[in-house]
Amino acid sequence: MQNFIQHANQFGQQRQAFFFLIDFERQKPLLVPLADCAEQGIFYQFSSLKPQENPSSPPRCWQVTPPSFANYQRAFDVVQQGLQHGDSYLVNLTFASLLQTEATLAALYQQSHAPFKLYMANLATPFVCFSPEAFVETKANKIYTFPMKGTQAFAKGDEKNAIITLLADEKEQREHFTIVDLMRNDLAMVAENIRVPRFRFTQTVPTEQGGIIQTSSEICGDLAENWQENLGTLLDKLLPAGSISGAPKASTLAIIRQAEQAQRGYYTGVFGVFDGENLQSAVAIRFIEQTSQGLYFRSGGGITLHSDVHAEYTELLTKAVVPR
């Protein structure tokens, strides 16, 4: 990670544009000049950036097989034990579900619709992700983050009731308060005058089954002049993203390692683009990877003392869809 920090700082000082991808464990970060991305099999599309095309056929069949409930229950119990001991207030627990579809990763990338899309074609374990969640972005010497916590699936035509249900859910409220507090503290490490212009607003992710309602908040702060010269250092201080780890971070990460018993790799890491002046980045969720055992859709959710194991298990499948 130190090599990445040095290179990102250098690129920032030179105002040189680059793409970056940092894994959850921060063991294999990538930094690539924007001009070299397509040649290296890196395809991305951000909501406010010009898309890079990679044409392919649309996906058809879609069958997701989650881990057994017994396996999920074991991990859930580990998390609950940590919560009961006071080692964490919120833990993001994730699993990989087997995915059966004849669609290629390239097709899934091309046909999905999301604010932040990424297809890493040339990695040893290629993956595609279509993330709804920004990590941090900058504009006019201000930094913004948009933590996303709280999910409610709905059938077609039932969006209004789903929003009412989600906003009234006490467990989801507590979870969102926790992550906003964590991200306010995180931004305070790199910026001043931290505030929350928008708190717990809803967003809709359409799917073929209906859709998903999610709640987010907007947090911002003021950066120092020439913050670009320490861009790598800034990113390192903010990682891992609080919304896909938990609070407090250090002890929560220990719980995650014990519960999940495997490295996440690039899943729940962050990826983004520095255009020479400003930064835009996203959390690598809604994530499908091609392994030697087949395709896996990785998903998860925030666990608190008030979480229900059956509801959280169901949420794994709720999120394992391609947004339309």
Side-chain angles (χ1 to χ4, degrees), residues 11 13-15 46 64-67 77 106 126 146 159 166 179 196 204 230 271 280 294:
F11 273 56
Q13 291 162 12
Q14 297 171 350
R15 301 299 195 269
F46 287 1
V64 179
T65 304
D77 289 345
F146 303 86
E159 179 178 353
L166 177 57
I179 206 62
V196 184
T204 301
N230 296 294
F271 63 97
Q280 189 171 18

Side-chain angles (χ1 to χ4, degrees), residues 263-276:
Q263 289 194 339
R264 293 184 181 180
Y266 291 116
Y267 171 56
T268 67
V270 299
F271 63 97
V273 167
F274 175 64
D275 66 6

Side-chain angles (χ1 to χ4, degrees), residues 161-176:
N161 288 333
I163 292 175
I164 294 172
T165 300
L166 177 57
L167 291 178
D169 189 305
E170 292 186 7
K171 179 262 183 184
E172 299 288 6
Q173 290 176 17
R174 286 189 288 264
E175 188 175 323
H176 200 88

Side-chain angles (χ1 to χ4, degrees), residues 47-316:
S47 55
S48 62
L49 294 176
K50 182 179 178 180
Q52 296 189 8
E53 297 297 339
N54 191 38
S56 55
S57 302
R60 290 180 288 178
C61 72
W62 188 266
Q63 181 177 348
V64 179
T65 304
S68 71
F69 182 77
N71 284 343
Y72 186 83
Q73 177 81 68
R74 178 206 58 77
F76 182 89
D77 289 345
V78 170
V79 170
Q80 284 295 321
Q81 185 177 31
L83 293 168
Q84 291 164 10
H85 287 170
D87 297 327
S88 180
Y89 304 106
L90 171 67
V91 180
N92 186 263
L93 180 62
T94 73
F95 271 89
S97 299
L98 181 65
L99 171 62
Q100 292 179 308
T101 178
E102 71 272 21
T104 64
L105 292 182
L108 294 170
Y109 169 80
Q110 182 63 24
Q111 297 301 320
S112 62
H113 297 276
F116 309 97
K117 298 201 301 181
L118 176 63
Y119 173 34
M120 299 294 294
N122 292 348
L123 293 179
T125 304
F127 71 83
V128 62
C129 99
F130 21 84
S131 175
E133 182 173 359
F135 177 46
V136 294
E137 61 182 54
T138 66
K139 185 177 182 181
N141 280 352
K142 291 182 173 58
I143 186 169
Y144 300 82
T145 188
F146 303 86
M148 181 178 288
K149 273 296 172 192
T151 303
Q152 177 72 42
F154 66 91
K156 291 181 179 180
D158 199 33
E159 179 178 353
K160 183 176 180 180
N161 288 333
I163 292 175
I164 294 172
T165 300
L166 177 57
L167 291 178
D169 189 305
E170 292 186 7
K171 179 262 183 184
E172 299 288 6
Q173 290 176 17
R174 286 189 288 264
E175 188 175 323
H176 200 88
F177 271 105
T178 299
I179 206 62
V180 167
D181 188 53
L182 171 63
M183 296 309 298
R184 287 175 66 250
N185 291 335
D186 278 3
L187 282 197
M189 294 189 295
V190 300
E192 297 180 344
N193 190 24
I194 309 302
R195 59 254 189 215
V196 184
R198 291 186 293 166
F199 179 74
R200 208 165 180 245
F201 59 91
T202 61
Q203 297 168 290
T204 301
V205 180
T207 72
E208 291 186 349
Q209 291 74 32
I212 300 172
I213 302 295
Q214 297 180 307
T215 53
S216 297
S217 288
E218 176 187 351
I219 308 169
C220 69
D222 300 327
L223 291 168
E225 293 289 334
N226 298 318
W227 60 268
Q228 296 93 337
E229 297 179 1
N230 296 294
L231 179 52
T233 304
L234 180 149
L235 287 170
D236 184 56
K237 286 182 178 180
L238 295 175
L239 292 173
S243 63
I244 43 70
S245 52
K249 279 189 183 179
S251 54
T252 298
L253 290 174
I255 295 172
I256 288 173
R257 286 190 292 268
Q258 183 182 0
E260 297 185 3
Q261 298 184 348
Q263 289 194 339
R264 293 184 181 180
Y266 291 116
Y267 171 56
T268 67
V270 299
F271 63 97
V273 167
F274 175 64
D275 66 6
E277 287 296 330
N278 283 301
L279 172 73
Q280 189 171 18
S281 62
V283 182
I285 56 175
R286 306 298 193 272
F287 186 102
I288 302 172
E289 61 185 353
Q290 179 73 64
T291 74
S292 57
Q293 289 78 41
L295 285 174
Y296 281 88
F297 197 121
R298 306 190 69 165
S299 57
I303 309 298
T304 71
L305 277 172
H306 304 279
S307 294
D308 175 78
V309 65
H310 296 282
E312 299 296 343
Y313 182 70
T314 299
E315 188 170 328
L316 292 177

